[in-house]
Each structure stands twice: as C-alpha cells, then as structure tokens.
Amino acid sequence: MRALFLTCMMLIFMAGIGCLSAQALNDLPAPPPSGLSDEGHVLGNNSDLQREIIGKLKQLETEHGYRLYVILERSLIATTPTGLAADLQQKWMPNGEGLVVVFESDTGKMGFGRGLDSSEAIMEGEQSVPAYSLVEIIADALHACAGIDVPDLFVQKLVSEMCKNLDAYLDRRNAPEEGGRSLRLALATIGALSLLALGGMVIGWMMGKADKKQSRIMKFPEIHVPERLGAPYGGGGGGSSYFGR
C-alpha cells in the first residue's frame, strides 16, 4: 500500500514538473521581429549601432532563411544565459532553423540556444547548421572579439563576425550541390555521346568485315602434273620411314 502511495506521488510530481515547464515556455516572450532584443539597454541610445546590427541580422535571414536572434540583458535573475537561450530556442526554433544568442553584460557571460557537442541530435530543415560547424563559426567570431571590453562594441563585433561566418558557410554548403549537379549532368552527356560513337564504330567495323567475307573468291592455282608410269594424269602417293634416333 505504501509502495502504491509513493508511486502515485511520484507520478503527480512528474506531471507537475511537466506543467511547470510548459507554463514556463508559454511565459516566454515572442521572438523580436528585428532579431535584436535590448531590454537591458546594453547598447544605450546608440541608434546607429542598433540599425547596423538589425541590418546584418535581416540580411542573413533574407539571403539564407537563417534567423539569428540576439538577446541582450544587463543581469539575469533565476536563470543563466545558457538556460534562457535554450528555453528561447526550444520555443522559437525547435527544428534548428536559427540560433538564439543571449549576452549578459554585467558578467560578460554568453549562452547559445543549441548544444555545441557531438551528442546533439541532427537538426532537420534546410536552414539548419550542424553543431560541429556552429562551434567553428562561434569560435572564430569570439576570437575576432578578443580584447574588446566595451559591451556595445563587443556585441557589434560579435554579430558582424557571426553573420559573416554563417553567410560564408551557407554559401559553401549550397554551391557544391548546384555545381555537382551540373558536373554530373555534363559527365552523363559526354558518356552517352561517347557510348553512341563507340557503338557506331563497332557496327561499322562488323558490317565492313561481313562485306569483305562475302566478296572473297577462292581460286585454286593451276599445277602442271607430268606423266607418271605412262599415265597422262596418273595419281601418286608416297611414304617415308625413319629408323634412326
């Protein structure tokens, strides 16, 4: 009876956790239309810098369909940049068609909405970027931001480098597919033409050989046979034996 009671309490507890998780996701805000959220005023009143960052985010989405959301906060309470980024990623883009980046300016910590290790499941969708490529893209961007201590300048450089790296990766990924298809089509065409030419040569050679066989005339040479034993056209025969080694 006690075991049954404990089982029921565990099920109720797990159901409560599931409801709280679903409620927490529902309480999250909608994705910012511009791709940039700066409720903490990390960028201050620098409208030119905001327009520059938004322009790069929009250009990446327009050209490749990849959405990069940048969330800026002064300080987070009851969560971390990684936890908030993961929650926003799950609500906004669960299929991996983009990436959420959270930056906490007071601590300098960052969080990314997707796991960046080999255990992450392969995302579906044409716009998704595998984890191993994201690691390289983010690492190169952070390396370019090394030594920048001012938060707004750091965010500007980070977004610029990430958009540039994502654009280069998506261009490389799409270019070989189109070029490969054209190359395969050209090789198939050349192969078909070569096969037809070879077939024509074989047929021509066989027909020429058949014509030569049909036009060949067999002639026996004239041979003068002298008289043998008084017979004008006598036959003959011969034989030989050898008893040596």
Side-chain angles (χ1 to χ4, degrees), residues 198-213:
L198 181 60
M201 293 174 60
V202 172
I203 293 175
W205 177 77
M206 293 177 65
M207 293 179 63
K209 189 174 182 180
D211 291 340
K212 289 182 179 179
K213 286 184 177 180

Side-chain angles (χ1 to χ4, degrees), residues 19-207:
C19 293
L20 290 175
S21 300
Q23 184 178 1
L25 289 178
N26 291 330
D27 293 340
L28 293 174
S34 64
L36 174 66
S37 175
D38 188 16
E39 295 183 358
H41 300 286
V42 176
L43 301 179
N45 296 323
N46 194 338
S47 57
D48 293 337
L49 185 57
Q50 292 179 3
R51 283 194 295 268
E52 178 185 346
I53 293 175
I54 292 173
K56 292 183 181 298
L57 297 177
K58 284 295 182 182
Q59 182 179 2
L60 181 65
E61 181 179 0
T62 301
E63 294 182 358
H64 301 287
Y66 191 88
R67 291 174 290 177
L68 182 64
Y69 290 110
V70 180
I71 312 300
L72 306 179
E73 295 286 349
R74 287 284 183 183
S75 179
L76 295 172
I77 301 175
T79 187
T80 62
T82 300
L84 179 59
D87 291 339
L88 294 176
Q89 181 84 32
Q90 184 178 356
K91 182 178 180 180
W92 295 349
M93 298 172 295
N95 295 325
E97 60 271 23
L99 180 66
V100 177
V101 179
V102 177
F103 175 66
E104 188 179 26
S105 62
D106 288 354
T107 62
K109 294 181 180 180
M110 298 185 62
F112 301 95
R114 286 182 52 189
L116 303 178
D117 51 33
S118 58
S119 63
E120 184 196 36
I122 298 176
M123 295 292 181
E124 298 180 355
E126 297 179 355
Q127 292 82 19
S128 62
V129 179
Y132 60 85
S133 298
L134 273 179
V135 170
E136 182 180 0
I137 289 171
I138 294 173
D140 290 344
L142 292 175
H143 180 73
C145 298
I148 302 178
D149 298 328
V150 182
D152 55 350
L153 298 180
F154 175 83
V155 173
Q156 177 191 23
K157 184 66 173 178
L158 176 69
V159 173
S160 176
E161 291 295 322
M162 286 193 64
C163 289
K164 181 183 70 174
N165 296 342
L166 284 167
D167 179 73
Y169 167 80
L170 294 171
D171 280 340
R172 290 195 307 269
R173 188 184 68 177
N174 296 331
E177 181 179 356
E178 298 176 358
R181 186 183 297 112
S182 300
L183 179 60
R184 288 194 297 270
L185 181 59
L187 292 176
T189 303
I190 294 174
L193 293 176
S194 301
L195 184 60
L196 290 174
L198 181 60
M201 293 174 60
V202 172
I203 293 175
W205 177 77
M206 293 177 65
M207 293 179 63

